[in-house]
Amino acid sequence: MSPDTFKRLLVIAHRWLALALAPVFLLILLSGATLAFKPIVESGGATGPSASANVDTVVAALEVIDPTHQATSVSLSADGRSIRLKSNDPAVVGTFDLATRTPATSSDFDLFAFALDLHKNLLVGVGLVVEIATYVMVAILAIGLFLGLPRLRNTWIGWHSGLGWLALPLVALAPVTGLLMILHIGTPTLPMIEPAAQPLPLARALEATADQVDLTRFVAARRFRQGSVLLTATTAEGPMRYLVSGTGKVVPLTDGPGWVRQLHEGTWAGIGSGILSFLAAAALMGLMVTGLYSWLRRQRQARRRDGDRNASTLVAFASQTGTATRLAEATAKALRGAGEAVICASLAALDPRELMGFRHNLFIVSTTGEGDVPDSARTFLTRLGASDLRGTHFSLLALGDSRYRSFCGGGRKVREALLEQGADEVAEWRRADGEPTSTWRDWLATVSRLIGLELGAVEAPETDRPVTLTLIECQRLDHPKQGDTRETWQLTFDTGDTAGDFRPGDLLLVSPGPGEAPRCYSIGTSSLAGDSRIGLTVSLHTWKDSEGKHHLGLTSNYLCHQLRPGAKLDATWRRHPDFNPPDDPTRPLILVATGAGIAPFPGFLAERARQPNAGPVWLLFGNRFRAGDFFYQAAFEQWRREGVLTRLDTAFSRDPDDGHHIQDRLMGNGEELLRWLVECRGVLYTCGRASTVGAAVERTVRAIIASHGSQYGLQPDETLAQWRKDGTLRVDVFG
């Protein structure tokens, strides 16, 4: 077993043992906190029953109340007028008047006696459960310590781990001393107990002891080991205990309770030790509450959906550039307007088994790469293979472009997987070619009729907008004389009156000619930063055919070599809100890019430079040569000096003095990365080639969580799924 696997198993044990026994722990700790006040109260003068008791009267009452000798304990009330009994016989349980020998109509409630019984037996005689819980509590504390030193941070899990370490002597005091008492370590050595055939009745034990010592201030008696009875009385020297064997032999216990019991009960230093015991119980309850709340909070976030209570229709989407998201939201809005209860969710937020809970499942799925599903659908498809969806009904709208060979390949894969698992397709799937609004309207009308709805006027979402741009500047970013660089250009376009409020991360779709499939390029400027120009970063795509001949990518060659300043470019602007900077400018940003994947990030920093109280930004950039292709180096260093860019890490794989890739920089700063993401609520953006940075960053983040996530209670797979779902991880990669 690898160390990481072992550590993950420890985290699972730490969490689920605590959750399973949380009610028992709560009762033990609450009763322990109450008992911590006993030495405080007794130091104030209330040292127990002050009334004298006639032992003969107590014995006579026991003979009448408990003729079959089933009582397991007897204690005298503070006023000396009644006794409290516990027994194996339910009829002989409660408070009884010594004079009438009948159940007392009223009595003084002994809070400490109640708390002690709750603490040791949970009020129902299950002391074994308490002992097991003590073993488990010590194990949970030990696992928590083994998982490593925490970083102090103002989060629930931060308070949980910080409290566990900073208050370690306090939190360990009660469970460790409790365990030592169970194991009879540090407790007084008891005299040899003479075995007896039958347990000694409490009445006989009182009689035998009264013949030898003064029991006028008798306190309590209870059955002990091997048929014996442990009896307590108050003498002039203080509390005194006697062990009465089953044969009637009385032995005074003069060694005292022992240091372990005194530490556990807080009786070793009067008021001060009582306060310390209370603080110990409070610290343990603090650990339990912070740990439990942190877990509940994560579970609640994982179940978060945008939708109606008791929804019968699910609108699920898988989007790469935001179009499917907007269509799904518009679909949900239209159905709600017709009276349908709807949930709208990304496939990343769904477990396939949830589909069984809806009468209608509507899917809108886009395509990325060479017929692949979007990143948000990958986990869903993996889980789908183990699901039985017989009886589930669905309809699917696929988005694509017929100029690509794998037209609507992403939607096809989801559809085939649903059918393979037994789901029933209730309407023929539709494939939107290019601009999807018309096909979406037809599909929505079909599925609404199947649901039984009459739709009113349906508002279509904003999708793509044609724009006419003018190239005003082009600049080569790499320096070919410095090594084997990839040819890359910065292109700046004047938007005229055709573009609106574009933001970095939005997409410009460019086609090199009529009938050619367009390519998407990330916009690296922002109208919110006062920029009226659209900036692109374009890397010239080169490839070899089967005969070894070199070819240039049609669109990248058109932009880099054929388009000249002053030329017009007819393109399409597409909003991409899933890869725009977050709406909250105070959230920290972690920007990871390789090569031309740096394209949107100058715009991110330009926006932050104009925002007051903006959060920190950490940029990690990788390429081949520092001197040859460190794109936008001067701008980044200027932002660093101005404080806009908080941290800049680079990796240049072909430099002799470097030789690292971007995933090496991430892994080397794994703990700091998690701190930004977990404690500071940061957002991690990744942009670059799918074959390199796309897969590598996710693998590295998973490894970081496996190595360092235990201090936050994180599990790699569930954390990655949650971060994709809530937008903590955002990816825009290209082929």
Side-chain angles (χ1 to χ4, degrees):
M1 181 185 299
S2 69
D4 286 345
T5 301
F6 179 65
K7 202 169 186 179
R8 286 196 295 273
L9 290 176
L10 286 180
V11 171
I12 293 171
H14 183 82
R15 177 185 303 161
W16 290 106
L17 286 174
L19 289 172
L21 287 174
V24 177
F25 290 158
L26 181 62
L27 293 176
I28 294 173
L29 295 175
L30 286 174
S31 57
T34 303
L35 289 169
F37 286 98
K38 186 176 181 181
I40 300 174
V41 172
E42 291 178 348
S43 296
T47 57
S50 59
S52 299
N54 186 314
V55 174
D56 291 338
T57 302
V58 175
V59 170
L62 284 172
E63 295 290 0
V64 173
I65 299 168
D66 183 30
T68 59
H69 305 302
Q70 297 298 307
T72 57
S73 73
V74 57
S75 58
L76 187 68
S77 65
D79 59 11
R81 296 178 181 177
S82 61
I83 55 175
R84 285 180 291 272
L85 294 179
K86 294 180 183 177
S87 173
N88 296 322
D89 181 358
V92 190
V93 175
T95 303
F96 296 85
D97 189 279
L98 279 174
T100 64
R101 299 163 187 176
T102 58
T105 55
S106 63
S107 64
D108 55 324
F109 176 69
D110 190 336
L111 175 63
F112 293 133
F114 175 84
L116 182 62
D117 191 27
L118 178 61
H119 193 71
K120 298 181 69 172
N121 301 296
L122 300 180
L123 300 180
V124 290
V126 287
L128 179 61
V129 174
V130 175
E131 291 187 4
I132 293 172
T134 303
Y135 280 100
V136 173
M137 190 179 296
V138 172
I140 290 171
L141 287 175
I143 292 172
L145 296 177
F146 181 81
L147 290 177
L149 287 168
R151 289 178 180 267
L152 297 181
R153 52 198 184 274
N154 190 25
T155 62
W156 281 101
I157 197 65
W159 281 103
H160 179 75
S161 56
L163 179 63
W165 272 94
L166 295 178
L168 179 59
L170 276 179
V171 298
L173 177 63
V176 171
T177 53
L179 180 60
L180 292 175
M181 289 168 60
I182 292 171
L183 299 173
H184 306 297
I185 298 174
T187 56
T189 302
L190 295 174
M192 182 70 68
I193 300 175
E194 296 181 357
Q198 297 292 332
L200 183 68
L202 297 180
R204 302 290 80 79
L206 286 170
E207 288 177 334
T209 309
D211 290 341
Q212 301 181 36
V213 298
D214 180 12
L215 286 184
T216 54
R217 291 189 182 276
F218 158 74
V219 176
R222 64 181 176 89
R223 285 186 179 175
F224 198 52
R225 305 172 196 161
Q226 296 177 279
S228 63
V229 172
L230 192 63
L231 188 145
T232 306
T234 302
T235 68
E237 291 78 20
M240 189 67 188
R241 297 190 303 162
Y242 303 90
L243 182 64
V244 187
S245 68
T247 60
K249 181 180 178 181
V250 180
V251 179
L253 302 178
T254 57
D255 290 343
W259 64 270
V260 170
R261 181 178 293 276
Q262 287 181 315
L263 283 173
H264 187 77
E265 297 178 349
T267 58
W268 52 278
I271 293 177
S273 59
I275 293 174
L276 194 64
S277 290
F278 173 77
L279 292 176
L284 278 168
M285 282 190 285
L287 275 180
M288 188 179 74
V289 170
T290 53
L292 182 62
Y293 182 80
S294 176
W295 178 80
L296 289 173
R297 187 167 176 264
R298 289 197 301 271
Q299 297 302 305
R300 188 167 60 250
Q301 289 174 340
R303 292 192 296 268
R304 189 171 293 165
R305 298 282 200 279
D306 174 20
D308 308 317
R309 189 184 298 273
N310 300 320
S312 59
T313 296
L314 169 68
V315 179
F317 59 90
S319 183
Q320 189 69 19
T321 62
T323 302
T325 302
R326 292 190 290 275
L327 289 172
E329 291 170 348
T331 300
K333 181 179 179 181
L335 296 178
R336 287 194 187 104
E340 183 74 358
V342 181
I343 280 180
C344 183
S346 167
L347 286 184
L350 293 172
D351 186 306
R353 292 171 296 184
E354 294 181 78
L355 304 183
M356 297 291 292
F358 298 95
R359 288 191 299 117
H360 310 285
N361 294 279
L362 310 180
F363 292 87
I364 302 178
V365 182
S366 64
T367 299
T368 186
E370 298 298 326
D372 295 324
V373 296
D375 298 329
S376 59
R378 286 182 294 157
T379 301
F380 178 84
L381 281 183
T382 300
R383 294 176 177 173
L384 191 60
S387 304
D388 183 355
L389 297 183
R390 286 174 292 184
T392 301
H393 306 291
F394 80 95
S395 178
L396 187 143
L397 171 64
L399 310 183
D401 190 321
S402 61
R403 288 172 291 184
Y404 290 94
R405 285 178 297 177
S406 300
F407 176 48
C408 290
R412 178 181 289 105
K413 287 181 179 179
V414 173
R415 175 177 177 268
E416 291 174 351
L418 290 168
L419 292 172
E420 187 175 341
Q421 300 311 124
D424 179 28
E425 187 174 35
V426 296
E428 183 180 0
W429 73 308
R430 301 296 302 274
R431 293 179 290 175
D433 187 2
E435 212 293 320
T437 302
S438 176
T439 306
W440 169 73
R441 286 185 181 277
D442 292 342
W443 175 78
L444 179 59
T446 300
V447 297
S448 62
R449 287 193 296 270
L450 290 173
I451 296 173
L453 301 176
E454 288 291 335
L455 298 182
V458 175
E459 181 181 352
E462 180 183 18
T463 52
D464 297 343
R465 181 189 299 182
V467 293
T468 299
L469 308 176
T470 303
L471 179 64
I472 58 175
E473 184 180 358
C474 55
Q475 178 183 357
R476 186 162 177 175
L477 295 175
D478 67 305
H479 302 286
K481 294 182 179 180
Q482 299 297 326
D484 182 21
T485 61
R486 187 185 298 273
E487 184 177 341
T488 304
W489 292 76
Q490 178 188 12
L491 306 177
T492 305
F493 296 89
D494 181 37
T495 60
D497 298 326
T498 61
D501 54 341
F502 58 89
R503 297 192 68 193
D506 283 351
L507 300 172
L508 193 70
L509 280 68
V510 179
S511 175
E516 296 292 344
R519 294 290 179 181
C520 295
Y521 294 92
S522 290
I523 294 175
T525 50
S526 174
S527 60
L528 297 186
D531 205 330
S532 62
R533 300 174 175 184
I534 284 180
L536 302 182
T537 303
V538 181
S539 180
L540 182 65
H541 178 56
T542 61
W543 55 282
K544 291 182 180 180
D545 60 20
S546 58
E547 298 178 355
K549 294 181 179 180
H550 287 270
H551 297 270
L552 300 178
L554 292 178
T555 308
S556 62
N557 181 49
Y558 170 67
L559 290 172
C560 294
H561 291 168
Q562 299 175 18
L563 201 64
R564 293 286 180 258
K568 299 290 185 180
L569 174 68
D570 291 324
T572 301
W573 167 47
R574 175 178 295 171
R575 292 189 183 276
H576 192 6
D578 291 342
F579 208 75
N580 292 151
D583 294 333
D584 180 1
T586 66
R587 291 191 71 177
L589 302 180
I590 304 170
L591 312 177
V592 181
T594 57
I598 198 66
F601 295 148
F604 277 60
L605 289 160
E607 277 197 8
R608 282 290 168 104
R610 295 174 62 94
Q611 293 168 330
N613 303 316
V617 182
W618 180 3
L619 174 64
L620 299 102
F621 175 67
N623 217 335
R624 295 178 177 179
F625 304 97
R626 175 179 292 274
D629 43 21
F630 189 173
F631 305 151
Y632 304 109
Q633 178 180 3
F636 292 143
E637 290 176 347
Q638 179 63 29
W639 275 317
R640 179 70 188 276
R641 288 190 293 270
E642 294 172 355
V644 178
L645 182 57
T646 310
R647 178 169 177 175
L648 175 61
D649 286 275
T650 58
F652 295 99
S653 59
R654 298 190 185 181
D655 278 346
D657 60 347
D658 189 334
H660 291 90
H661 293 86
I662 201 65
Q663 56 266 38
D664 301 324
R665 297 288 181 252
L666 287 169
M667 198 68 199
N669 295 282
E671 286 191 81
E672 183 68 2
L673 180 76
L674 281 188
R675 189 183 73 81
W676 279 55
L677 292 175
V678 179
E679 298 178 28
C680 305
R681 297 177 53 251
V683 186
L684 174 61
Y685 290 82
T686 301
C687 190
R689 291 190 176 275
S691 59
T692 55
V693 68
V697 169
E698 180 164 316
R699 285 196 304 268
T700 305
V701 172
R702 189 188 188 286
I704 289 170
I705 297 171
S707 298
H708 306 293
S710 58
Q711 62 181 306
Y712 299 99
L714 303 180
Q715 294 295 311
D717 291 333
E718 67 182 43
T719 301
L720 283 175
Q722 177 61 32
W723 284 353
R724 293 190 203 101
K725 186 188 312 179
D726 63 23
T728 298
L729 294 184
R730 307 189 188 192
V731 179
D732 188 8
V733 294
F734 49 87

